[in-house]
Amino acid sequence: MRTQVAIVGGGPAGLLLSRLLHRQGIASVVLEGRDRAYVEHRQRAGMLEQGTTDVLRGCGAGERLDREGLVHHGLELRFGGAGHRIPLTDLTGRTVTVYAQTEIVKDLVALRLADGGDVRFGARAVEIDPSGPSVTYRQDGRTHTLDCDYIAGCDGFHGVGRPAVPGVRTFSREYPFAWLGILADVPPSTGELIYAHHDRGFALHSLRSPAVSRLYLQVAPDEEIAAWPDARIWDELAVRLGTGDGWTLDEGPITDRSITPMRSFVAEPMRHDRLFLAGDAAHIVPPTGAKGLNLAVSDVTVLARALTERYASGSEALLDSYSATCLRRVWRAEHFSYWMTTLLHTDPQADDFARRLQRSHLDYVASSPAAAVSLAENYTGLPLT
Ligand code: RFL
Ligand code: PHB
């Protein structure tokens, strides 16, 4: 079996790449280890940069996004019991959109299958040969080989793509906390996202729709989900999000819950021979800056453009600059995500001096137009280069 581009991983990065290539007449096969229902229901990201929605729209995946996505013009920083609005659109001219990763994945799977795309679920890659180039995978208890011109390693943090880059250099940071995330059937108690700093830890009030809320709590990295019955979750959210002005948090049935460790991670380079890494396979950011999915989209946009040029003109110039082009944006997002994380979380190891500095930093971001512009331009996303 042979194709032009073998795509390992059917998350947002792999599925979008396959769609972008199809629009340019380039054939691909997507190998996804899990089944379709699993990838369509894995609760993750929700906040999309304008550049991300532009790419989705541009490749014909924007119909439901335009109908159901919630366009936001600002966010709230909450600390010391008071809210401070950052007017993202006034400061940058750009918006962000709440539309769940699960819905993007559903839209892309449906589009690929409708246009005859080859997406194989339950097909787990076991070995990548970047020079063959080829991918060996297991499906239905049998081993198969897929030969190709190029391989896209879009198989996430635990995949087989990154280990197939010899001499890969990695950079990482672990944080002394994790996020407990819930999905709840209750109308959001806020119109815009609330990022709250509290002595007991960070909390985030996000949303999915006018009827569904998404909320997060900073917890210890080794926290057990069993230690958090519903009442404890709601009580803790109410305390950390609480203000002195009578604002209340509405509660509802919790339909999904999970604990996610927080880490920063970058692998360099993002290419070896005919293998190109994209998305979480190459880098991880802590979710505070809402950058992970957006970076996956910008990586595959750059890769699709480079492959398009290669097939149209024979030139490998854009493929040769792929890793450097992506890493420039990746490191900006890494810094911003680290910055937002340390600004808003409560470090259990911090001394009183560090806590005072953190509070001064929050005051500065909430009161200085220059600091707010810096937050806003990073949050809404810098232009794709
Ligand atoms: P994914 O989504 O992990 O997909 C990789 C796919 O590869 C498959 N796979 C394999 N397939 C075949 N063979 C193998 N050997 C394979 N090994 C793995 C996996 O089954 C999977 O389907 O990576 P991708 O496509 O790079 O997408 C990245 C995003 O999923 C991730 O960055 C975001 O979810 C991060 N993130 C957020 N990003 C944002 O931009 N905005 C947000 O608001 C935001 N919030 C979040 C987040 C991530 C979170 N968690 C749970 C990590 C909130 C949370 C809580
Ligand atoms: C989400 O809605 O899941 C979400 C939003 C913003 C973040 C992280 C997660 O920073």
Side-chain angles (χ1 to χ4, degrees):
M1 168 83 201
R2 189 179 168 84
T3 188
Q4 288 177 298
V5 181
I7 300 175
V8 184
L15 292 166
L16 178 60
L17 178 63
S18 157
R19 173 73 185 171
L20 292 170
L21 293 176
H22 171 73
R23 302 275 282 189
Q24 300 299 327
I26 301 168
S28 67
V29 173
V30 177
L31 302 173
E32 167 55 50
R34 304 282 193 159
D35 63 32
R36 181 174 175 181
Y38 183 90
V39 300
E40 289 186 347
H41 293 95
R42 187 168 40 195
Q43 292 301 325
R44 286 191 170 173
M47 187 53 96
L48 310 180
E49 295 173 4
Q50 190 167 316
T52 296
T53 50
D54 289 346
V55 169
L56 291 170
R57 235 174 252 129
C59 74
E63 193 202 313
R64 200 157 64 94
L65 165 73
D66 282 334
R67 240 184 310 124
E68 297 176 17
L70 304 168
V71 176
H72 282 205
H73 301 283
L75 61 78
E76 183 180 326
L77 297 180
R78 201 174 268 192
F79 57 94
H84 308 266
R85 182 169 189 264
I86 306 289
L88 299 169
T89 305
D90 291 349
L91 296 173
T92 63
R94 293 199 294 274
T95 60
V96 288
T97 301
V98 175
Y99 188 66
Q101 179 167 330
T102 47
E103 307 315 297
I104 295 177
V105 167
K106 283 178 202 161
D107 294 345
L108 289 169
V109 168
L111 272 176
R112 283 311 284 136
L113 296 181
D115 62 28
D118 192 340
V119 182
R120 302 182 191 180
F121 292 100
R124 190 171 56 86
V126 287
E127 201 185 332
I128 288 177
D129 175 356
S131 304
S134 67
V135 180
T136 306
Y137 67 97
R138 300 269 307 161
Q139 191 178 27
D140 299 328
R142 287 203 299 278
T143 302
H144 311 261
T145 300
L146 179 61
D147 295 313
C148 54
D149 301 334
Y150 296 98
I151 303 165
C154 302
D155 49 350
F157 187 64
H158 302 286
V160 292
R162 194 174 61 253
V165 176
V168 67
R169 188 165 174 207
T170 62
F171 304 81
S172 63
R173 174 75 31 112
E174 304 281 329
Y175 298 87
F177 33 77
W179 274 19
L180 188 170
I182 63 160
L183 202 60
D185 282 337
V186 58
S189 301
T190 181
E192 295 181 339
L193 268 60
I194 305 170
Y195 288 81
H197 168 76
H198 191 279
D199 287 345
R200 295 175 63 89
F202 169 79
L204 170 61
H205 192 331
S206 183
L207 50 136
R208 286 291 176 264
S209 73
V212 176
S213 298
R214 176 85 168 139
L215 298 114
Y216 298 96
L217 281 172
Q218 173 187 346
V219 294
D222 55 355
E223 192 70 64
E224 298 281 345
I225 195 92
W228 288 86
D230 294 16
R232 182 175 177 206
I233 293 174
W234 289 115
D235 289 350
E236 192 64 28
L237 284 165
V239 170
R240 295 189 194 178
L241 290 164
T243 59
D245 64 6
W247 179 88
T248 53
L249 176 67
D250 290 331
E251 302 179 6
I254 296 176
T255 57
D256 189 277
R257 72 189 75 209
S258 63
I259 292 185
T260 310
M262 303 269 276
R263 69 163 73 84
S264 298
F265 178 92
V266 182
E268 295 186 358
M270 289 169 58
R271 171 200 188 168
H272 175 70
D273 207 348
R274 302 295 189 102
L275 166 65
F276 295 82
L277 303 179
D280 279 15
H283 39 73
I284 297 286
V285 286
T288 329
K291 288 283 165 257
L293 172 60
N294 293 296
L295 278 181
V297 169
S298 52
D299 285 354
V300 298
T301 305
V302 173
L303 184 53
R305 207 180 278 163
L307 288 166
T308 300
E309 183 189 69
R310 164 69 185 78
Y311 282 108
S313 73
S315 167
E316 296 194 357
L318 291 183
L319 286 173
D320 289 342
S321 58
Y322 169 75
S323 178
T325 301
C326 290
L327 283 168
R328 196 157 172 265
R329 186 183 184 83
V330 166
W331 275 112
R332 177 88 301 280
E334 288 287 342
H335 177 262
F336 176 66
S337 305
Y338 167 87
W339 181 85
M340 281 282 275
T341 300
T342 49
L343 176 70
L344 288 160
H345 287 70
T346 302
D347 181 347
Q349 279 125 42
D351 59 15
D352 289 345
F353 181 77
R355 283 174 196 260
R356 284 286 193 280
L357 287 184
Q358 184 183 26
R359 187 56 183 267
S360 167
H361 194 180
L362 280 162
D363 273 332
Y364 176 60
V365 174
S367 60
S368 156
V373 167
S374 174
L375 188 159
E377 75 169 355
N378 279 281
Y379 191 86
T380 57
L382 292 156
L384 195 66
T385 49

